[in-house]
Amino acid sequence: MPADDGSNGDVGASSSNSAARRRKTNVNRRMKKMTNPLAVQFQTPKVLDDAYWSRAYQGEHLSAPLLVDVGTAKGGFIKALASDCAEECTTAKSGVVYNLLGVEIFDILVDAANAWVKENASTLKRRAHFIGCNANVSLTALNMPNVRAICIQFPDPWSNKPNRRVVTPKFVDDLAAILPSGGEIYCCSDVRALAEEMYDVVSQNEHFVLDERTYERVGEMPEKANPEFVPEFDAAHKYKWIKNTHVRDDNEDDVGEDKDVPRRWLNANPYAAYTERDIVCEGKWRPVYRCAMIRI
C-alpha cells in the first residue's frame, strides 16, 4: 500500500522521521486521545489511482457504491458492516450492497485493520479496505470510486481549537465535490456542541439538505431522550467550547425565518451498525446526536 512520506522540505522530512520514531506499535493499548491534524507529517495529500482501487476491491467490484467512514479508529464500524451487520445494513438501505472504506490518520491502526480483513477474508460478507491519511487534506486526492455515503462519527471535539475539527466549511465543499446527487452524509457525536456545529456546517452548505427519507425510516430522537442535564462521563464536556467563526450563528440577522427551526436528531444509526464509541455511550446512557444529509 502506498504510504504518505510526510515530507515538506528538510524540516518536514526531519519532523516526519521524528514522528516515525515515536509511533505507537501496540494497537491494544489506549491510543492518544487526540492527534493534531495540522502536524506537518499529515499535510501531504495521499494521491491514489484507479489501479490502487482495482487491487483493493478486486476490479470487477468497483462499480458497487462506496461507503466511507472518516476517522474510523480501529475500524469497528466497517468491520461490523463487513460481517455481522452486513445483511441488516443492506435491508435498511433498500438492498444497497456497499464496498466499505475506513479512513484513519493513525497508520498503525490502518495496518491492523487491513490485517483483520486479510485474516477474515473467507468469511466476510462485504469487501472492506482501510487507508491511512488526513481526510481534511486528502479527501479529493484519493480518487475514491463511486462514493455514495460518507460517515463522520465521534470526531475529536477539539473544544478550544476549532481549526483542528474535521467538519469545516472547506471539508463539506470537498464532500460536495466527490458525492453525486443523492449521496449521503451521516454525522454523530455525544458532544452536543460538536454535533450542533457539524449539523450547521453541513446544512448551511447549498449542496446539502436533510435526508427526509432517512429521518422517516429511522425516526427522530424524542425530547425526553435529550435532557438538559447529561452526566459528564467524557472529559470533552468539561471544557469551554469555542465556536468555529466560519459557521453562521443561529442568532444572526441573515438567518431569517429559519433561525427558530430546531435541529432534528436521528434516533439511531441509519446503517444498522455501531462504532465502539456508540457502544460506550449506550452503556452509560449518554445521548448521541445524529444527523443525515443528502446531496442535491
Side-chain angles (χ1 to χ4, degrees):
M1 180 188 301
D4 288 340
D5 60 10
S7 61
N8 184 16
D10 294 339
V11 175
S14 175
S15 298
S16 180
N17 291 336
S18 297
R21 288 194 297 271
R22 298 193 301 269
R23 183 176 297 165
K24 295 179 175 68
T25 57
N26 179 6
V27 297
N28 293 318
R29 66 179 290 181
R30 184 180 185 277
M31 305 301 291
K32 182 180 178 182
K33 184 174 183 180
M34 294 190 288
T35 296
N36 180 9
L38 302 182
V40 66
Q41 66 267 30
F42 300 128
Q43 298 313 300
T44 302
K46 180 185 284 291
V47 180
L48 300 176
D49 57 18
D50 292 343
Y52 177 92
W53 295 114
S54 183
R55 292 192 301 271
Y57 292 107
Q58 302 170 12
E60 68 272 20
H61 300 297
L62 280 177
S63 61
L66 183 67
L67 181 150
V68 183
D69 186 35
V70 174
T72 197
K74 295 182 180 180
F77 179 67
I78 293 296
K79 292 174 182 177
L81 287 177
S83 53
D84 296 342
C85 299
E87 299 302 334
E88 190 175 355
C89 175
T90 294
T91 299
K93 300 302 291 182
S94 302
V96 176
V97 176
Y98 291 108
N99 282 338
L100 305 167
L101 178 67
V103 178
E104 171 55 41
I105 201 167
F106 273 123
D107 282 337
I108 184 62
L109 297 185
V110 173
D111 294 341
N114 278 323
W116 178 90
V117 171
K118 185 175 181 179
E119 292 167 3
N120 294 277
S122 62
T123 59
L124 293 183
K125 300 174 183 177
R126 300 289 183 267
R127 290 169 290 278
H129 186 62
F130 296 84
I131 57 172
C133 69
N134 181 346
N136 287 86
V137 172
S138 299
L139 192 68
T140 57
L142 292 173
N143 300 308
M144 297 176 291
N146 206 20
V147 182
R148 289 295 181 273
I150 304 282
C151 302
I152 305 104
Q153 304 181 78
F154 305 99
D156 290 336
W158 290 109
S159 299
N160 60 354
K161 292 182 173 64
N163 62 321
R164 297 185 182 183
R165 294 176 196 148
V166 173
V167 180
T168 64
K170 169 61 168 62
F171 183 71
V172 178
D173 284 339
D174 288 344
L175 293 178
I178 66 172
L179 281 170
S181 177
E184 302 167 358
I185 297 179
Y186 167 64
C187 301
C188 72
S189 178
D190 57 320
V191 180
R192 182 164 182 171
L194 177 60
E196 291 177 345
E197 182 170 290
M198 292 192 292
Y199 186 111
D200 293 346
V201 173
V202 181
S203 64
Q204 290 168 15
N205 186 290
E206 62 180 352
H207 299 294
F208 294 97
V209 295
L210 280 181
D211 185 353
E212 295 290 355
R213 291 182 61 185
T214 294
Y215 276 82
E216 181 179 355
R217 175 175 62 83
V218 176
E220 299 187 36
M221 178 190 288
E223 286 298 321
K224 64 181 180 180
N226 191 6
E228 290 295 326
F229 173 76
V230 177
E232 298 191 9
F233 292 108
D234 191 322
H237 294 270
K238 298 179 181 178
Y239 300 137
K240 179 181 178 181
W241 182 261
I242 297 180
K243 184 178 177 64
N244 190 325
T245 57
H246 296 292
V247 181
R248 187 181 64 201
D249 192 325
D250 286 340
N251 294 318
E252 290 180 357
D253 292 339
D254 65 348
V255 177
E257 62 183 14
D258 292 332
K259 66 181 179 181
D260 294 325
V261 176
R263 299 177 184 89
R264 295 163 56 192
W265 306 111
L266 291 170
N267 201 37
N269 187 307
Y271 299 98
Y274 295 91
T275 70
E276 297 93 335
R277 183 68 178 173
D278 273 303
I279 296 169
V280 169
C281 291
E282 182 178 358
K284 295 182 175 181
W285 294 87
R286 174 177 291 284
V288 175
Y289 304 94
R290 314 172 189 276
C291 63
M293 310 282 179
I294 195 167
R295 176 75 158 87
I296 56 177

